[in-house]
């Protein structure tokens, strides 16, 4: 853990409700797609950015500008200001949609202060678990998406540190995926810059709100085969002793890893991300000391926007991803080389075509359900989330580039990984790894892993000088 801190180190100063002005383009109801509805019982998406204090703006100005720009962002991304509505149908089943323009809607905006916590406490995690206080940088901790019936679909927390500020977003996963999450974050930052400069707000990438529905199943909404929400709402918490660490992989190290994977499989089509995925699958499986016959799976979230024909807009606002997987035995995975494992990962990605996506959606429409994370077969498996392609460090609110990205406690379990672009933007990758402590200890001594993982970036060098509280 970074630095010891009491459980009440993070204090709420004030909570606001941010409501956009009326948008004549916003429909009263927004129906949810086959990519949205299954997520009703998983956690909200929690990601945030750490910034040094800007030298020429006060904290009061930061709070005021963020609230004002968030109000404008909600005007453009209007689903985020609504609430979920789950209805019981005559004849059986339940449906869910987003309602916009209702009384009491809006996003939550929390101003908090972290007593005695500074930038170094957040980022200095070399060889240590990420600090426990990070979960307190995010509102609505461990809320499931169904809670969006009564809670905001978006909650923002701006936490004041000794020498910096952390902006954490808790976003209902039923209305956004990772692509849309960072689309919103970047648009909010763009609006803040425009307002600070006194310019008219014209988004460079306005959201596309038309939900995608496959043909042949009538008009939405999708009817779920439950008599009440009690049949599908399941609460989930990460294991109490889960070890959560960040690892850095330099561009040079990843180039060499990709070259090795392609040489070993003899194909020449393995990507950097596929090679890294294969490495982590092998090393974590070895750390778990599974028997030869035990099955192990690699699971990953893969976006559908560009794979559909015709493709969806990159600015499609909502969920557009599938979870794909490949399975083998621990013995086969470890007896074969890195290239063999990378080819397994490559195949599930290359096979995820327009027809594959449509087949998945057809099967869902014929047998709809809500995902229960407790019943997903994740034992002995590894799951990759997030993406190094997300524009994480493009979120510039006008006071410089973020120093680090961090996540909350949502949707974490033994074997969960999250990939982020490296800070310097040269093709490096930062990987958040969640494992039981006994597996993490073995992973950090694994020779194959140690040959690839790189030294973390020195944040003191990035800062130049320490941030100064204003």
């Amino acid at each position: 853990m970074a630095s010891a801190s009491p459980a009440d180190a993070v204090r709420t100063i004030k909570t606001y409700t941010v409501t956009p002005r009326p948008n004549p383009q916003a429909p009263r109801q927004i129906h949810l797609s086959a990519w949205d509805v299954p997520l009703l019982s998983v956690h909200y998406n929690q990601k945030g950015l750490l910034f040094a204090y800007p030298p020429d703006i006060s904290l009061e100005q930061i709070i005021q500008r963020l609230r004002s720009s968030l109000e404008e962002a909600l005007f453009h991304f209007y689903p985020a200001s609504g609430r979920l509505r789950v209805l019981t149908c005559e004849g059986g089943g339940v449906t869910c949609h987003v309602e916009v323009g209702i009384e009491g809607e809006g996003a939550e905006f929390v101003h908090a202060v972290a007593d005695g916590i500074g930038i170094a406490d957040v980022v200095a995690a070399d060889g240590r678990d990420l600090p426990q206080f990070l979960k307190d940088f995010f509102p609505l901790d461990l809320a499931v998406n169904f809670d969006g019936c009564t809670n905001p679909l978006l909650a923002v927390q701006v936490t004041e540190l000794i020498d910096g500020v952390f902006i954490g977003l808790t976003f209902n996963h039923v209305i956004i995926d990772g692509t849309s999450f960072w689309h919103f974050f970047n648009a909010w930052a763009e609006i803040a810059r425009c307002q600070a400069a006194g310019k008219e707000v014209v988004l460079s990438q306005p959201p596309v709100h038309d939900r995608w529905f496959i043909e042949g199943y009538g008009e939405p909404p999708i009817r779920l085969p439950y008599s009440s929400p009690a049949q599908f709402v399941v609460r989930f918490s990460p294991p109490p002793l889960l070890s959560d660490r960040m690892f850095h992989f330099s561009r040079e190290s990843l180039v060499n890893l990709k070259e090795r994977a392609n040489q070993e499989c003899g194909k020449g089509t393995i990507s950097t991300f596929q090679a890294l995925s294969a490495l982590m699958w092998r090393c974590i499986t070895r750390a778990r000391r599974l028997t030869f016959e035990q099955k192990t799976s690699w699971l990953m979230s893969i976006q559908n926007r560009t794979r559909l024909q015709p493709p969806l807009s990159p600015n499609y606002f909502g969920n557009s991803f599938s979870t794909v997987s490949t399975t083998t035995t621990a013995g086969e995975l470890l007896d074969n080389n890195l290239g063999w494992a990378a080819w397994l990962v490559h195949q599930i990605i290359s096979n995820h075509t327009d027809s594959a996506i449509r087949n998945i959606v057809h099967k869902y429409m014929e047998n709809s359900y809500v995902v229960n994370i407790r019943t997903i077969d994740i034992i002995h498996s590894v799951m990759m989330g997030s993406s190094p392609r997300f524009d994480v460090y493009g979120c510039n609110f006008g006071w410089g580039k973020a120093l680090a990205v961090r996540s909350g406690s949502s949707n974490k379990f033994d074997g969960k990984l999250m990939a982020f672009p490296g800070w310097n933007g040269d093709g490096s990758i930062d990987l958040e790894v969640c494992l039981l402590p006994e597996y993490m200890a073995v992973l950090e001594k694994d020779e194959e892993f140690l040959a690839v993982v790189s030294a973390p970036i020195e944040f003191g060098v990035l800062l130049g000088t320490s941030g100064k509280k204003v």
Side-chain angles (χ1 to χ4, degrees), residues 15-51:
T15 299
Y16 308 84
T17 297
V18 179
T19 305
R21 68 184 189 278
N23 186 329
Q25 303 299 318
R28 177 78 175 184
Q29 292 187 358
I30 301 171
H31 290 299
L32 299 172
S33 77
W35 296 322
D36 304 319
V37 176
L39 303 176
L40 276 167
S41 197
V42 302
H43 293 152
Y44 278 55
N45 193 340
Q46 294 180 321
K47 303 290 186 298
L49 293 172
L50 173 68
F51 295 89

Side-chain angles (χ1 to χ4, degrees), residues 41-42 234 236 371-376 378 411-413:
S41 197
V42 302
V234 179
F236 169 79
V371 171
N372 180 347
I373 196 168
R374 290 183 177 177
T375 62
I376 297 175
I378 55 176
N411 299 310
K412 289 184 176 178
F413 47 83

Side-chain angles (χ1 to χ4, degrees), residues 133-206:
F133 61 70
L134 280 175
K135 69 180 178 62
D136 298 321
F137 286 3
F138 297 90
L140 304 181
D141 187 46
L142 299 183
V144 298
N145 295 314
F146 172 80
D147 296 333
C149 293
T150 53
N151 289 332
L153 300 184
L154 170 63
V156 173
Q157 181 169 313
V158 180
T159 304
E160 177 185 358
L161 309 179
I162 295 172
D163 51 1
V165 63
F166 188 92
I167 302 177
L169 269 63
T170 299
F171 223 135
N172 194 293
H173 214 327
V174 160
I175 64 167
I176 55 98
D177 58 10
T179 300
S180 291
F181 182 102
W182 291 106
H183 179 195
F184 176 88
F185 215 148
N186 274 276
W188 179 23
E190 181 182 21
I191 291 168
R193 296 196 307 271
C194 287
Q195 290 183 340
K199 297 180 179 179
E200 180 184 3
V201 174
V202 179
L203 291 180
S204 58
Q205 298 184 59

